[in-house]
Amino acid sequence: MAQETIADSDIHAAAMRVAAGIGWRRTRLADIAGEAGLTLAELHERYMSKDAVLDGLFRHVDRTVLEGAQKSADEDTSYRDRLFDILMRRFDALNPHKDGIRAVVRDAGSGGVAEILCGGCRLLRSMRWMLEAAGISTAGWLGALRVKGLAVVFAATVQVWLRDDSEDMAKTMAALDRNLKRAEQFATMRSPFGRRRRDEDPGDLDVEAAPAT
């Protein structure tokens, strides 16, 4: 069958191409299936809705970033540097779909980035994995605050990335660095964005002021 030779990543890419061309709101499941070379019935076997296709895209991006982070893990770098590297890997993985994601965000209306990225708590889920990849505990209430804090950093940087037309993503890198530095100043934890001692347990990090999120 056709679907056996078409990867999920091909379906995600097809959905983003259609969205870039006609907008996400106007995109039908039949459009995605046709662009991907599947029948509507075959697409139905793998995805039940447009939102499921979008969720699949972000899960694929998560997996790509986590695989890359594991290969390049460096215990001697600071937590902030690790988070910078991990989130830039995320933007690298999203880059091929930027036009489609821009269309999705545009059609989200007033919800914008928050509505698209946070649908089904997908942004919080992704940021939890990004923190774990950086060696930062996400357990307990402190972990939940860390996840929310990084989600704010990422969502703010997405706004710059969507408008970044530089080949090296210089504007995105500058914005991410700036946002991480702000998080370091106002975050709920001191050590996770600093340099970890080799004998320090990231699950026992101290808490400073904990702003409401």
Side-chain angles (χ1 to χ4, degrees):
M1 296 175 64
Q3 62 173 327
E4 295 178 351
T5 61
I6 296 176
D8 285 328
S9 58
D10 294 329
I11 297 174
H12 306 152
M16 292 299 96
R17 287 195 301 271
V18 175
I22 66 175
W24 184 244
R25 186 177 292 113
R26 293 180 58 194
T27 296
R28 303 173 304 151
L29 286 166
D31 297 323
I32 297 173
E35 181 69 20
L38 295 170
T39 66
L40 194 57
E42 288 169 340
L43 180 64
H44 175 268
E45 290 183 20
R46 295 162 73 166
Y47 295 101
M48 297 296 292
S49 67
K50 287 199 306 181
D51 192 66
V53 175
L54 197 61
D55 192 61
L57 167 62
F58 288 115
R59 284 183 178 274
H60 178 75
V61 168
D62 286 346
R63 184 167 58 252
T64 299
V65 174
L66 292 171
E67 290 173 350
Q70 185 174 10
K71 293 176 183 178
S72 63
D74 184 351
E75 292 294 324
D76 293 326
T77 58
S78 69
Y79 284 107
R80 194 178 78 193
D81 287 344
R82 282 191 232 173
L83 286 173
F84 179 89
D85 179 69
I86 287 168
L87 293 183
M88 284 308 302
R89 288 177 182 274
R90 190 171 187 81
F91 285 117
D92 281 334
L94 288 170
N95 257 342
H97 311 297
K98 181 184 283 189
D99 290 341
I101 293 173
R102 187 182 292 116
V104 173
V105 171
R106 183 178 61 245
D107 285 353
S110 60
V113 172
E115 180 177 329
I116 294 305
L117 295 181
C118 295
C121 296
R122 64 169 64 97
L123 178 59
L124 296 180
R125 178 196 67 207
S126 294
M127 293 303 103
R128 183 176 298 277
W129 283 103
M130 300 303 102
L131 284 164
E132 291 287 347
I136 301 173
S137 173
T138 61
W141 66 268
L142 177 55
L145 288 177
R146 290 168 176 163
V147 171
K148 290 179 181 178
L150 191 62
V152 170
V153 167
F154 184 72
T157 309
V158 165
Q159 300 281 8
V160 177
W161 171 72
L162 287 171
R163 301 188 301 269
D164 190 351
D165 56 359
S166 60
E167 292 184 3
D168 58 356
M169 289 196 291
K171 297 175 183 177
T172 301
M173 287 191 289
L176 178 58
D177 184 60
R178 182 170 60 252
N179 290 332
L180 284 172
K181 285 180 179 178
R182 287 174 180 168
E184 189 173 30
Q185 292 175 344
F186 302 108
T188 60
M189 59 285 193
R190 177 170 64 246
S191 297
F193 288 131
R195 184 173 294 278
R196 185 178 70 178
R197 302 189 306 273
R198 289 188 177 277
D199 60 346
E200 183 179 42
D201 181 358
D204 297 327
L205 297 169
D206 293 334
V207 181
E208 293 185 349
T213 55

